[in-house]
Amino acid sequence: MCDTCGCNVTPGNVKFAYKPVEPGATTISVLQGLLKKNDDQADHNRAHFDARGILTVNLMSSPGSGKTALLEATIKALKSEFRIAVIEGDLETENDAERIRAQGVPAHQIVTGTACHLDAHMVHDALHQMDLSGIDLLFVENVGNLVCPASFDLGQHANVALLSTTEGDDKPAKYPVMFRGADAVVISKTDLLAVLDDFSPDKAERHIRELANPAPVLRLSARKGEGMEAWFAWLRGQLASQRARVAAGQTQRPTIQPEGALMHGARATEAA
Amino acid sequence: MHELSVAQALVDQVEDLARQHGATGVHLIRVRIGPLAGVVAELLGTAFPLAAAGGRAEFARLEWVEAPIRVRCRTCGAETEAQANKLVCGACGDWQTEVVSGDELILETVELDIPERIEG
């Protein structure tokens, strides 16, 4: 996007671009995203992944919905098929990275201290401390939080939001920004459905559709191994698409980023 | 509260603009925030003075415009208002819509105090 020639002025926002100037002040029309520095860094990270043919998937959910357990089961099943690496984000502890390393794949822990989300700069710093040569699939496990992580592009190609059966099937209606931006939604801990009488996966799916999100909704239990094949198939499909894009010199941003649809309608797929 | 991170990013951006234009101060910053951007305007307003302290934007007034949520239906083509957690078409009820407004997080304008250059 260009902030000098006015090409970011669209029919929708032109009326905000020009306004009368108060005496003594000069008005500058900017019309760029508030998170421009983060977004530039995210684009840089994405170029880094694309240059190495890596598919990067950002996992987001509330704390305790089973992101790490899903990764453990995924690595166990797919590590002979793909080379996998993981970036973990937590406020404190190295626990999750240790769980991933125990599966025999490289993991880097980002300790955010007090920050409630990962941003593109944190991920960039982590990338510099990792050996990504030969990696096919990089997972970023975001800080457990259904609010803040949704607003920051990290350079990933796809967003996955998890919703565990113990959380309530109306979470997508309560946290629309997060679930609207998911390229796939995983309903986790389905083995508990037998003892929960108040969670309806169909209702959860309906709330996701009401966010105008056509993403696949994958019902699974990582602990019991139920429904995992559909998740693996989704990952294989995403990796195949990423390889095709890389071969064609293209990239992909996650389906929706804040401010995306209006400002960057044409940027969904473009030359890297 | 990620609004502080957003406020810091906003201040960085405004200070860059002020520097580029040789401004000594910033009067006004106007942003446009949609409910689907995931940023609460009031919290951004609270975080802004903390992020701006000591810089060129320190005394700037932060104004925000809340963008309404509007969706265009892919099925019937109608453009209607919608709610953040119900982005369905207001005309035919179909969920296959696209958001045409309401997810913006945009710095629209800044008013800078640029001293006149004294010739010679």
Side-chain angles (χ1 to χ4, degrees), chain A:
Chain A
M1 188 172 65
C2 166
D3 57 346
T4 51
C5 77
C7 63
N8 51 0
V9 178
T10 66
N13 63 24
V14 66
K15 58 182 176 294
F16 306 105
Y18 310 103
K19 67 181 287 295
V21 177
E22 283 173 23
T26 305
T27 298
I28 311 288
S29 167
V30 189
L31 288 180
Q32 64 187 18
L34 249 56
L35 293 170
K36 185 175 187 303
K37 283 195 173 169
N38 182 76
D39 294 348
D40 289 348
Q41 180 67 65
D43 284 342
H44 173 86
N45 294 351
R46 203 159 12 242
H48 198 78
F49 300 138
D50 292 338
R52 286 161 185 74
I54 298 170
L55 171 74
T56 302
V57 175
N58 180 26
L59 289 184
M60 296 181 285
S61 77
S62 51
S65 61
K67 295 185 292 299
T68 314
L70 177 64
L71 285 178
E72 285 172 321
T74 304
I75 292 163
K76 203 168 281 176
L78 298 184
K79 70 178 173 190
S80 56
E81 196 175 335
F82 306 119
R83 289 193 59 184
I84 300 173
V86 178
I87 294 175
E88 289 284 345
D90 281 294
L91 271 66
E92 284 296 346
T93 83
E94 186 90 10
N95 295 353
D96 283 0
E98 280 165 9
R99 280 172 65 183
I100 297 299
R101 285 184 205 118
Q103 298 297 325
V105 305
H108 179 86
Q109 179 80 47
I110 300 176
V111 177
T112 64
T114 55
C116 48
H117 60 270
L118 296 179
D119 67 24
H121 294 92
M122 292 183 209
V123 170
H124 183 249
D125 290 346
L127 294 177
H128 275 280
Q129 294 175 54
M130 298 179 80
D131 179 12
L132 291 178
S133 49
I135 296 295
D136 301 303
L137 185 51
L138 174 69
F139 288 104
V140 179
E141 184 183 331
N142 218 309
V143 178
N145 178 341
L146 279 178
V147 185
C148 313
S151 296
F152 295 85
D153 186 359
L154 309 176
Q156 73 274 28
H157 300 98
N159 284 325
V160 173
L162 276 78
L163 165 60
S164 66
T165 53
T166 53
E167 289 171 57
D169 50 25
D170 60 349
K171 279 291 174 294
K174 288 179 173 170
Y175 299 90
V177 178
M178 170 65 69
F179 286 95
R180 180 176 165 252
D183 298 285
V185 177
V186 168
I187 296 181
S188 60
K189 307 188 188 180
T190 53
D191 53 311
L192 298 179
L193 281 172
V195 292
L196 297 168
D197 55 6
D198 57 351
F199 187 99
S200 156
D202 290 343
K203 212 182 270 178
E205 190 162 339
R206 204 151 56 233
H207 284 304
I208 292 161
R209 298 299 170 240
E210 287 179 348
L211 301 174
N213 188 344
V217 177
L218 309 165
R219 306 171 186 193
L220 57 83
S221 163
R223 288 253 183 270
K224 297 280 189 278
E226 299 165 8
M228 296 297 284
E229 271 313 315
W231 161 244
F232 298 151
W234 183 82
L235 284 173
R236 289 188 189 105
Q238 292 291 311
L239 197 56
S241 312
Q242 168 67 354
R243 285 174 173 159
R245 282 192 299 269
V246 167
Q250 295 179 328
T251 191
Q252 171 180 280
R253 286 175 173 73
T255 304
I256 292 161
Q257 287 296 328
E259 61 113 2
L262 187 73
M263 297 290 285
H264 312 292
R267 296 210 320 185
T269 303
E270 68 181 19

Side-chain angles (χ1 to χ4, degrees), chain B residues 6-81:
Chain B
V6 178
Q8 281 161 345
L10 171 65
V11 168
D12 281 353
Q13 215 170 324
V14 169
E15 288 187 348
D16 283 352
L17 285 164
R19 244 189 318 274
Q20 283 163 23
H21 290 88
T24 50
V26 182
H27 285 287
L28 177 72
I29 300 169
R30 178 167 290 137
V31 297
R32 185 170 173 83
I33 299 177
L36 293 170
V39 171
V40 180
E42 287 76 12
L43 292 180
L44 186 64
T46 309
F48 175 75
L50 300 171
R56 285 181 214 217
E58 183 166 13
F59 300 108
R61 190 154 47 92
L62 178 66
E63 279 186 7
W64 56 84
V65 183
E66 290 226 20
I69 301 176
R70 293 190 68 80
V71 297
R72 187 183 300 119
C73 183
R74 292 183 209 273
T75 307
C76 78
E79 196 182 304
T80 50
E81 289 218 1

